[in-house]
Amino acid sequence: MHPGFVRAAELLPTPKAAGLPAERLAGTRCVWCGGAATDALSARLSVVKGELVRWKPRSCLPCLRREAKRVYGIHITVCARCTHRDYCPDNKALYPLALECR
Ligand SMILES: [Zn+2]
Ligand SMILES: [Zn+2]
């Protein structure tokens, strides 16, 4: 597993917990597509039915890559810390996940 993985997973926004099927909320299914989950994302705090819950979403690899790519694409256009010569730690965490094989 890439050392930047945990950091990158924290940067990926998940769907709203309140609207998710129980299996995706429990992390047994991919939080995005509902397929078999292979990769753990960072724990989240969300309000579900009026209560604050801590949940640990998981993801399949294709969704993880797609979301990392998407967030990376947004990041690179809005981040004030990233220049053409130097990239911020967030970017360095996202980049391998979005573009490299592991
Ligand atoms: Zn998926
Ligand atoms: Zn940046």
Side-chain angles (χ1 to χ4, degrees):
M1 188 178 282
H2 190 275
F5 176 77
V6 174
R7 183 85 187 93
E10 285 173 11
L11 300 170
L12 304 180
T14 57
K16 285 206 181 358
L20 287 176
E23 285 182 325
R24 298 195 203 183
L25 200 60
T28 50
R29 294 268 161 194
C30 171
V31 71
W32 285 293
C33 73
T38 53
D39 291 80
L41 301 170
S42 58
R44 316 281 157 138
L45 281 175
S46 303
V47 175
V48 181
K49 295 177 188 144
E51 284 187 43
L52 193 63
V53 293
R54 188 167 186 273
W55 59 299
K56 293 180 179 172
R58 296 180 77 215
S59 166
C60 67
L61 193 54
C63 284
L64 190 64
R65 284 203 195 290
R66 189 193 62 233
E67 290 302 307
K69 253 181 210 171
R70 189 176 65 80
V71 173
Y72 176 80
I74 296 167
H75 179 99
I76 203 80
T77 61
V78 298
C79 181
R81 292 175 296 166
C82 285
T83 69
H84 286 294
R85 274 172 295 124
D86 196 25
Y87 298 103
C88 74
D90 286 2
N91 191 315
K92 284 175 181 159
L94 283 169
Y95 185 83
L97 189 61
L99 303 174
E100 274 177 24
C101 295
R102 68 177 167 90

